[in-house]
Amino acid sequence: MSPITMGRAKVARVSATELADRTTALSMALLSGSDELDPGVVEQARRVVDKAFERTNLAGDHTVVALAGATGSGKSSLFNALVGADVATIGARRPTTAKPTAAIWGGGDAGELLDWLHVDARHRVEDDARPTGRGKSVGSLDGLVLLDLPDFDSRELAHRQEAERILELVDVFVWVTDPQKYADARLHDEFVSILSRHDAVTVAVLNQSDRLTPDAVQTVAKDLRRLLLADGVKGAQVLTTSTLTGDGIPEFRQRLANAVAGHAASRQRLRADVVGVAERLRQDVADTEPDVAKLSRTALDEAFARAAGVPVVLDAVERDYRREAFAHTGFLFARWTKAFAADPLRRLGLDRDRGRDVIPLDIEGADVRAVLGRSSIPAPTLSTVAAVDIATREFVRNASEGMPPRWGEAVDAAVDRGEGALSDRLDRAVMSTSLRARRPIWWFVVNVLQWLLGLAAIAGLVWLAVLVVMGWLQLPRIEAPTVGVIPLPLLMLVGGLLVGLGLAVVSRWWANIGARRRKASIGRRLTEAVGEVADERVLIPIDEVHARHRATRAHLAEASD
């Protein structure tokens, strides 16, 4: 890229594509993060985006240069000297310049541009490469639009506002000052601070140099350059001129010709605006975001699980397993007592045969309760609700660590803390979690053995009863088979009962182990279901804010890099 030269300082030329890319990136940054950025800077950034769009779509290829300065600095005289005619009004009454005046060099139509600038006073100048008086010619000013602005220190507020408005729109600043006011603190604080953000398209002119000796001119110019550097105007360039003697006027015209020749001062100014406001917005964005995936969520999940009544449900699952195990593996002649034991899951309104696939896909929200109903799990206590709030706030604090305050507030605001809605959502998560599991094979094996032992005991009892009745009726005696000295019917009765009881005791011990395993298995399911609620109400909203923060940072980097 060839440079734009405004004297010794050289600035890389900005292509239309680069400007468009930077402007688009700034616009995307505002779209993703405007609510969390400084409102004042955001408003300024929106104006910059609008200005860039409007300026680049204007017809013609002109360079707008504004002469701005304090009352009595001689900028209107300098304007007339450059134009070669008394276009700008010069008088003793101050402030003289009330409205901006435009001088247009060349035959290009600048009407649309001046309409956009709201400049009505217009004068067309026929450009000619004027000699410098030293045998050299000054470059062409064809395409230059030179504006004489109202005095920046005018007591008329409307004049100052008009000057500030125009300065936001022009391509090149020229600050005209004089030996008396060049060090005025108020001008430096209020005006040069604006120029400091656009040093690439700024030049300072020390006018009325004829009032000083040559040595004094160099001293004042050096001091002015020092003040500009102190104000943040990088690579500050100072020209000395005199409209009375003509000194410095050709050199100033050459500076303007250099800027016009580049045909890119407007893009350079817009780039400076985009970069400047993007850098200011970047101060409201952190360099990184906390990695939510690496944050400990143990306390959060535990608080949500307690609020969902998971410990109560798991206790019921464990008792239900032991109850069902007893029904299948318990002593055959004691199973009838199962009817007196309440179903722990049904007492909580949880059907262990109900799974997630029961809920229609098009049912959500409160309609789920119409399908599944409401469980009878005890509502979370105040301490449980408080624990959820504390765990959530702690997680949000960790997820906001290192982020600017507005982004931290956005993270906090994104988290859903609706207590009633949370209770219903957790209840639906538990209700829609399948509490089913395959019946263990050993239940079937033990059940078969218990039935065999029970039938053996019953058969032995019936056999003994038949023998007793036959003896009572004095029927012919039938000797029962024996095992050793023990009659087989007695062995069947006693053996069936004792072995059945022993098998029931072993099965009860093994069922306790199985109940703990079932509890752990269902616990993982419920933890996953409750974790989805935590994701939905806490982690996903936080991730969305982090994603906007990340996108905003990337767009601002693209706009300002």
Side-chain angles (χ1 to χ4, degrees), residues 222-465:
K222 183 178 179 180
D223 191 43
L224 175 58
R225 186 177 301 109
R226 178 187 62 80
L227 292 174
L228 291 174
L229 290 174
D231 290 330
V233 182
K234 302 175 183 177
Q237 300 295 312
V238 177
L239 294 176
T240 59
T241 62
S242 172
T243 56
L244 183 64
T245 65
D247 290 343
I249 301 297
E251 289 77 5
F252 183 37
R253 284 178 56 88
Q254 183 61 55
R255 298 280 182 100
L256 296 179
N258 292 342
V260 172
H263 292 293
S266 63
R267 292 194 295 271
Q268 180 61 33
R269 163 66 198 275
L270 293 172
R271 177 192 183 279
D273 285 344
V274 171
V275 171
V277 76
E279 289 177 346
R280 293 178 64 190
L281 290 173
R282 182 63 179 81
Q283 298 173 8
D284 293 331
V285 179
D287 295 331
T288 59
E289 305 82 25
D291 190 346
V292 177
K294 293 182 179 180
L295 296 178
S296 174
R297 54 180 293 174
T298 302
L300 184 68
D301 288 338
E302 289 178 351
F304 269 72
R306 287 194 299 272
V310 169
V312 176
V313 175
L314 291 181
D315 181 66
V317 167
E318 187 175 16
R319 288 186 286 112
D320 181 71
Y321 182 94
R322 291 197 297 266
R323 177 175 174 274
E324 289 298 310
F326 175 75
H328 290 84
T329 65
F331 185 52
L332 190 64
F333 302 106
R335 293 184 185 182
W336 60 273
T337 59
K338 174 178 177 285
F340 296 99
D343 187 330
L345 292 178
R346 291 190 183 277
R347 288 186 63 181
L348 295 177
L350 302 173
D351 186 350
R352 60 180 174 275
D353 294 326
R354 178 177 288 156
R356 290 189 180 121
D357 54 345
V358 174
I359 305 176
L361 295 178
D362 57 344
I363 297 295
E364 60 181 359
D367 294 335
V368 175
R369 293 180 62 178
V371 178
L372 295 181
R374 187 71 161 85
S375 76
S376 299
I377 301 172
T381 63
L382 292 178
S383 61
T384 302
V385 173
V388 172
D389 186 63
I390 292 172
T392 302
R393 291 184 183 278
E394 179 65 17
F395 192 87
V396 168
R397 186 184 65 80
N398 293 334
S400 307
E401 188 173 359
M403 300 182 72
R406 287 191 182 92
W407 286 101
E409 293 171 1
V411 170
D412 185 70
V415 174
D416 187 356
R417 291 192 177 91
E419 295 179 4
L422 175 60
S423 178
D424 285 343
R425 182 65 185 88
L426 290 172
D427 193 69
R428 293 201 303 270
V430 174
M431 290 283 291
S432 60
T433 300
S434 175
L435 304 180
R436 295 178 300 171
R438 287 192 311 171
R439 292 174 178 173
I441 296 177
W442 70 270
W443 284 13
F444 173 76
V445 174
V446 173
N447 192 34
V448 171
L449 292 176
Q450 287 285 19
W451 274 100
L452 291 177
L453 292 170
L455 291 175
I458 293 172
L461 178 62
V462 171
W463 195 345
L464 288 175

Side-chain angles (χ1 to χ4, degrees), residues 292 395-396 399 407 410-417 532-548:
V292 177
F395 192 87
V396 168
W407 286 101
V411 170
D412 185 70
V415 174
D416 187 356
R417 291 192 177 91
E532 290 176 358
V533 178
D535 290 344
E536 174 188 319
R537 301 176 72 89
V538 180
L539 274 75
I540 293 177
I542 290 176
D543 279 336
E544 290 175 352
V545 176
H546 283 184
R548 289 196 298 106

Side-chain angles (χ1 to χ4, degrees), residues 58 153 261 516 561:
L58 290 174
D153 62 344
R516 290 194 292 270
D561 185 15

Side-chain angles (χ1 to χ4, degrees), residues 78-306:
L78 184 61
F79 179 87
N80 290 336
L82 292 169
V83 172
D86 293 335
V87 176
T89 303
I90 303 173
R93 187 177 61 85
R94 297 176 180 178
T96 301
T97 308
K99 294 184 178 181
T101 301
I104 306 101
W105 275 260
D109 184 11
E112 184 179 3
L113 173 61
L114 291 174
D115 289 341
W116 178 67
L117 293 169
H118 298 292
V119 176
D120 297 326
R122 308 172 185 181
H123 176 78
R124 185 168 294 280
V125 181
E126 293 299 329
D127 183 34
D128 54 350
R130 301 186 179 189
T132 64
R134 298 183 180 90
K136 298 181 180 180
S137 295
V138 176
S140 173
L141 297 180
D142 189 14
L144 171 65
V145 176
L146 185 65
L147 301 180
D148 180 24
L149 300 187
D151 299 332
F152 192 83
D153 62 344
S154 173
R155 293 180 180 179
E156 297 290 337
L157 180 60
H159 295 180
R160 296 185 59 180
Q161 291 176 339
E162 180 68 2
E164 292 173 0
R165 182 188 67 81
I166 295 293
L167 285 176
E168 287 191 359
L169 303 176
V170 300
D171 303 330
V172 177
F173 295 150
V174 176
W175 182 30
V176 182
T177 187
D178 61 84
Q180 289 183 329
K181 292 188 177 181
Y182 79 94
D184 186 278
R186 187 168 65 88
L187 290 178
H188 280 267
D189 293 339
E190 296 182 6
F191 182 59
V192 180
S193 60
I194 299 177
L195 302 184
S196 65
R197 298 196 294 270
H198 310 284
D199 56 276
V201 288
T202 300
V203 62
V205 173
L206 179 63
N207 197 24
Q208 302 176 4
S209 61
D210 55 278
R211 296 184 178 182
L212 303 174
T213 65
D215 291 340
V217 168
Q218 296 300 320
T219 300
V220 172
K222 183 178 179 180
D223 191 43
L224 175 58
R225 186 177 301 109
R226 178 187 62 80
L227 292 174
L228 291 174
L229 290 174
D231 290 330
V233 182
K234 302 175 183 177
Q237 300 295 312
V238 177
L239 294 176
T240 59
T241 62
S242 172
T243 56
L244 183 64
T245 65
D247 290 343
I249 301 297
E251 289 77 5
F252 183 37
R253 284 178 56 88
Q254 183 61 55
R255 298 280 182 100
L256 296 179
N258 292 342
V260 172
H263 292 293
S266 63
R267 292 194 295 271
Q268 180 61 33
R269 163 66 198 275
L270 293 172
R271 177 192 183 279
D273 285 344
V274 171
V275 171
V277 76
E279 289 177 346
R280 293 178 64 190
L281 290 173
R282 182 63 179 81
Q283 298 173 8
D284 293 331
V285 179
D287 295 331
T288 59
E289 305 82 25
D291 190 346
V292 177
K294 293 182 179 180
L295 296 178
S296 174
R297 54 180 293 174
T298 302
L300 184 68
D301 288 338
E302 289 178 351
F304 269 72
R306 287 194 299 272

